[in-house]
Amino acid sequence: MHQQSILVAPSLLAADFSRLADELAAIEQAGADWLHLDIMDGHFVPNISFGPAILKALRPRTKMPFDVHLMIAPADPYLTAFAEAGADHILIHPEAGPHPHRSLQAIRALGKKAGLVLNPGTPIAHAATMIDMVDIILVMSVNPGFGGQKFLHAQLPRIAELRRLIDASGQAIRLEVDGGIDPATAPACIEAGADTFVAGTAVFGTKNYAAAIAAIRGANDAIATIRGGGSA
Ligand code: DX5
Ligand code: ZN
């Protein structure tokens, strides 16, 4: 069993967009490790979110690393813009362009951590082929495009397979999961080998961000607080 610490990356998509700076301060205070930013173009996924201008505006407000999930096609023409706007990690889908290996090279050449995202229907072979080019592998446990969807349990064996692949590679690669993550679904993902969690609704949809983040990390007292409706 691997020993990585569990990281939680709240997804800004579920925040109150009229108070973004306050929401950022609140999750940072609540113990969030990374901020996950979902970039959607209404073409690669059936929804539109926000672009680099929002990253640039938020960058001076927080020390949290920006984990930028590009659900846009093509992605290559925008990598520099997101890097310059403050991204620390840039994650691409292999379906977003004809040359995902080149996209990952370009992200690293910009001095950023490179991530590859696997949709529920994307073959794991993509990750195996490009394992030397990634710092993060992100498993989608919903189809991308919207927050608040139901966790797809069929992704668990894929997480386990990716864990074996990462361990065999001997590289320091984060195994992140995105979609329908909450204190009930995270434990099976941890068991399968995931070490990093994106959570939108399960953090911003609650009143106590600190308890929500701690519960996803697996802290039993926080889980009791949430289930009992307390405010510790
Ligand atoms: C979906 C996005 C997710 C989304 C997760 O396309 O990639 O990051 O914000 O939202 P929840 O945690 O509500 O499923
Ligand atoms: Zn995402």
Side-chain angles (χ1 to χ4, degrees), residues 2-230:
H2 72 115
Q3 303 282 334
Q4 291 252 60
S5 58
I6 303 293
L7 303 183
V8 179
S11 166
L12 195 70
L13 194 65
D16 179 345
F17 279 13
S18 71
R19 308 170 38 249
L20 286 181
D22 294 345
E23 291 277 65
L24 223 60
I27 55 156
E28 189 162 21
Q29 173 80 21
D33 298 290
W34 300 349
L35 180 71
H36 186 79
L37 297 117
D38 288 302
I39 313 300
M40 304 178 179
D41 66 355
H43 164 74
F44 184 71
V45 290
N47 193 8
I48 299 177
S49 59
F50 49 82
I54 297 287
L55 272 75
K56 193 172 175 204
L58 294 178
R59 186 62 282 181
R61 302 295 195 120
T62 175
K63 291 196 169 55
M64 286 182 291
F66 280 5
D67 188 49
V68 180
H69 177 188
L70 295 183
M71 287 163 275
I72 63 176
D76 290 355
Y78 301 96
L79 299 177
T80 302
F82 282 101
E84 287 177 353
D88 295 283
H89 317 151
I90 301 180
L91 298 93
I92 55 139
H93 285 254
E95 299 88 350
H99 302 294
H101 188 282
R102 179 184 290 155
S103 304
L104 296 168
Q105 281 179 324
I107 294 166
R108 283 189 166 173
L110 288 163
K112 307 301 174 186
K113 287 196 159 55
L116 190 68
V117 190
L118 302 181
N119 279 337
T122 302
I124 282 178
H126 287 287
T129 312
M130 293 180 268
I131 194 97
D132 60 323
M133 289 306 301
V134 296
D135 303 291
I136 301 163
I137 296 172
L138 175 59
V139 178
M140 292 307 300
S141 39
V142 300
N143 280 298
F146 302 95
Q149 302 182 78
K150 202 170 167 317
F151 180 83
L152 298 170
H153 289 268
Q155 296 307 302
L156 290 170
R158 283 161 53 83
I159 295 169
E161 195 176 335
L162 287 160
R163 168 49 55 198
R164 288 192 289 275
L165 199 67
I166 290 169
D167 287 350
S169 80
Q171 296 185 69
I173 297 171
R174 281 271 160 193
L175 182 50
E176 187 174 21
V177 186
D178 184 3
I181 293 298
D182 62 24
T185 55
C189 299
I190 294 173
E191 185 69 23
D195 54 37
T196 305
F197 292 99
V198 176
T201 314
V203 173
F204 288 107
T206 63
K207 287 204 161 43
N208 187 333
Y209 295 172
I213 289 168
I216 291 164
R217 248 191 257 288
N220 290 328
D221 49 343
I223 294 169
T225 299
I226 285 191
R227 297 215 171 117

